Amino acid sequence: LLEKYEWLAENFPFIKWQQIVFCGSKCVIKGDIMIDDHLKNLEFFDGKKILFTAPHNWLSKEYIRVSNWNEVAAMLL
């Protein structure tokens, strides 16, 4: 978890530690949008599903796909 937190802090310094939640089973997450690189995490989500491209998912055609955070920003902002 420390490695994930450090990555978030470096890449998203505007997100405060109080706004970060680590969850082992993402099937309990409720929200409007989920961005994830693992298909299993998107499978049970009820909102908009966005697949972040990674070597382990490049064959999937199931979800809206993004390859970088600029694409996410263009889609959502």
Side-chain angles (χ1 to χ4, degrees):
L1 289 177
L2 180 59
E3 185 177 299
K4 282 188 180 188
Y5 173 76
E6 289 173 345
W7 184 89
L8 285 169
E10 180 179 333
N11 291 283
F12 298 94
F14 52 88
I15 299 176
K16 298 175 185 172
W17 69 267
Q18 297 94 332
Q19 298 169 301
I20 297 173
V21 176
F22 292 105
C23 180
S25 176
K26 293 187 181 173
C27 68
V28 300
I29 301 294
K30 303 294 181 207
D32 297 320
I33 302 167
M34 180 179 281
I35 305 165
D36 206 293
D37 65 325
H38 287 287
L39 299 169
K40 66 180 180 177
N41 293 331
L42 296 173
E43 186 177 344
F44 299 103
F45 186 69
D46 290 330
K48 183 174 184 174
K49 304 168 187 184
I50 300 174
L51 182 64
F52 205 100
T53 299
H56 55 270
N57 69 28
W58 66 276
L59 292 177
S60 175
K61 305 284 186 208
E62 293 180 61
Y63 304 111
I64 298 168
R65 181 182 289 276
V66 293
S67 296
N68 57 60
W69 290 107
N70 289 329
E71 290 180 17
V72 173
M75 185 182 299
L76 302 178
L77 300 177

